[in-house]
């Protein structure tokens, strides 16, 4: 499967330039996908360079690059440190993560990621795991559902949505996208496309524990990067971007209050390379509409 069909990599040139690639260095692509970013990194690596790629998706593994410099780890990037140690690469020069769902995942109806198709409500990025979106809708309590839609999807009527699901599921199964859309259709607020996108985003984040995995990745980046090594993260919604921004700035996931005396304790883990997030150029937006919400942040590990 060609990379263009699988996933058009976003902010490709900007990411590879800002990673400041050392031809003999060791790099990690934490989200291999269609391999677009990996190929761009490989082009800048010499014979002694090394690239370790992570992707839990079976389809991505089938699309892997056959190159002696590349090691493919078919795991969630939250296990970064363990598998780097296993592959004798405990310290690395750079880490990249493109957190967007791949175009291929969105465009494969049976994966259940997209509101455009009918298919099972699956949404697992790693099909070896057991929790699906259908199971969440069938078993989670009202309060837990409300919190999920509120926190992960910023859904305006999260309480009503949760109540509707719990009430209707006794008589209306919600195993497929069509069944689910039919059940919640009467309570959709505002633009239906936007509303459903937010609802599906919340379910996808919950199924894959995306924010938990991102926190694990960022924490481990601080441990495995060499001093002067860089981490580049591309996010696609405000929940992810907030975590990345705060961690790069303060080494914490919470917004730190400004110190009126300007003291820095503890010392910062990272030096910001991008003061503001890098976004897609007009040319890229024309070529790839999905790059519209992409934000790239890059930071350098301090000593």
């Amino acid at each position: 499967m060609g990379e263009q069909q699988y996933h058009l990599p976003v902010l490709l040139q900007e990411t590879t330039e800002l990673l400041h690639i050392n031809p003999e260095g060791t790099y990690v692509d934490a989200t291999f996908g269609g391999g677009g970013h990996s190929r761009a990194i490989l082009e800048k690596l010499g014979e002694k360079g090394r690239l370790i790629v992570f992707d839990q998706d079976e389809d991505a593994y089938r699309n892997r690059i056959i190159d002696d410099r590349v090691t493919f780890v078919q795991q969630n990037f939250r296990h970064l440190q363990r598998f780097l140690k296993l592959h004798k690469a405990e310290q690395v020069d750079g880490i990249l993560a493109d957190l967007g769902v791949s175009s291929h995942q969105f465009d494969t109806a049976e994966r259940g990621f997209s509101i455009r198709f009918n298919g099972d409500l699956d949404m697992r990025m790693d099909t070896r795991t057991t929790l699906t979106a259908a199971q969440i809708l069938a078993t989670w309590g009202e309060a837990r559902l409300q919190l999920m839609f509120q926190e992960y999807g910023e859904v305006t009527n999260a309480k009503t949505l949760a109540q509707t699901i719990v009430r209707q599921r006794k008589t209306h199964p919600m195993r497929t996208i069509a069944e689910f859309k039919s059940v919640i259709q009467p309570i959709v607020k505002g633009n239906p496309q936007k509303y459903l996108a937010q609802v599906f985003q919340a379910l996808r984040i919950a199924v894959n524990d995306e924010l938990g995995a991102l926190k694990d990745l960022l924490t481990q980046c601080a441990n495995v990067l060499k001093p002067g090594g860089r981490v580049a993260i591309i996010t696609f919604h405000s929940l992810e971007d907030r975590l990345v921004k705060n961690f790069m700035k303060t080494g914490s996931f919470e917004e730190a209050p400004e110190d009126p005396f300007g003291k820095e304790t503890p010392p910062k883990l990272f030096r910001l390379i991008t003061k503001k997030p890098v976004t897609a150029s007009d040319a890229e937006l024309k070529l790839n509409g999905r790059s519209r919400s992409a934000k790239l942040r890059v930071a350098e590990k301090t000593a």
Side-chain angles (χ1 to χ4, degrees):
M1 190 186 298
E3 169 208 323
Q4 297 292 323
Q5 291 169 276
Y6 191 100
H7 183 64
L8 204 56
V10 298
L11 298 166
L12 184 65
Q13 190 179 342
E14 295 89 339
T15 306
T16 43
E17 280 177 9
L18 287 167
L19 271 175
H20 218 255
I21 291 164
N22 164 16
E24 296 190 356
T26 299
Y27 289 84
V28 173
D29 181 350
T31 50
F32 179 74
H37 287 108
S38 283
R39 286 182 180 86
I41 292 169
L42 276 174
E43 280 175 20
K44 291 178 179 278
L45 288 180
E47 283 181 24
K48 291 183 181 173
R50 191 173 177 200
L51 178 64
I52 299 165
V53 304
F54 284 72
D55 206 302
Q56 60 195 348
D57 194 294
E58 182 65 40
D59 289 337
Y61 180 72
R62 283 196 284 268
N63 204 42
R64 66 194 181 280
I65 299 167
I66 308 302
D67 187 305
D68 289 343
R69 297 169 297 168
V70 180
T71 303
F72 195 108
V73 179
Q74 199 181 349
Q75 293 288 341
N76 188 303
F77 56 53
R78 72 189 317 160
H79 306 302
L80 175 77
Q81 201 165 352
R82 178 152 60 98
F83 281 95
L84 288 183
K85 192 172 184 180
L86 185 71
H87 291 288
K88 298 181 171 45
E90 291 180 44
Q91 295 280 285
V92 300
D93 297 273
I95 298 166
L96 158 72
D98 169 3
L99 301 176
V101 178
S102 78
S103 306
H104 175 71
Q105 287 171 330
F106 268 134
D107 294 341
T108 307
E110 59 269 24
R111 298 299 295 274
F113 286 106
S114 176
I115 59 175
R116 291 180 294 131
F117 307 110
N118 188 25
D120 290 340
L121 268 171
D122 191 315
M123 297 197 192
R124 291 172 298 165
M125 289 182 181
D126 183 349
T127 51
R128 296 168 297 185
T129 59
T130 55
L131 183 66
T132 66
Q135 284 176 314
I136 286 176
L137 295 173
T139 60
W140 281 20
E142 189 182 302
R144 196 176 179 193
L145 286 168
Q146 180 187 338
L147 190 65
M148 173 188 69
F149 290 124
Q150 220 165 267
E151 297 288 310
Y152 297 165
E154 297 169 295
V155 176
T156 48
N157 62 343
K159 187 178 176 68
T160 307
L161 177 59
Q163 285 171 341
T164 303
I165 290 164
V166 172
R167 188 174 64 249
Q168 294 287 343
R169 70 189 180 192
K170 297 182 183 107
T171 51
H172 294 78
M174 288 172 265
R175 291 183 294 259
T176 68
I177 292 167
E179 287 171 347
F180 179 49
K181 281 161 77 172
S182 169
V183 166
I184 68 170
Q185 194 272 327
I187 58 152
V188 169
K189 290 194 80 170
N191 179 328
Q193 292 294 106
K194 187 183 177 191
Y195 182 88
L196 287 169
Q198 289 173 311
V199 168
F200 272 55
Q201 174 182 292
L203 280 165
R204 194 197 78 225
I205 289 172
V207 167
N208 299 289
D209 187 25
E210 289 178 32
L211 299 182
L214 175 57
K215 286 180 178 180
D216 288 349
L217 173 70
L218 289 166
T219 306
Q220 291 171 54
C221 280
N223 300 333
V224 301
L225 274 174
K226 294 175 183 173
R230 292 187 177 185
V231 54
I233 311 275
I234 301 169
T235 63
F236 286 82
H237 56 75
S238 57
L239 299 170
E240 292 172 338
D241 184 55
R242 203 175 300 130
L243 289 177
V244 173
K245 176 187 169 186
N246 290 340
F247 192 78
M248 286 182 171
K249 200 173 170 186
T250 67
S252 160
F253 297 113
E254 307 302 322
E255 197 97 40
E258 291 293 323
D259 183 344
F261 303 104
K263 286 186 296 199
E264 269 188 27
T265 50
K268 292 197 172 179
L269 288 171
F270 296 103
R271 177 175 74 86
L272 296 180
I273 301 300
T274 53
K275 297 284 187 270
K276 289 183 176 175
V278 177
T279 55
S281 64
D282 290 341
E284 181 168 5
L285 287 170
K286 279 179 192 160
L287 188 68
N288 182 8
R290 285 177 175 161
S291 65
R292 189 168 304 282
S293 51
K295 288 182 175 179
L296 166 66
R297 293 185 187 270
V298 183
E300 187 175 279
K301 173 88 179 287
T302 55

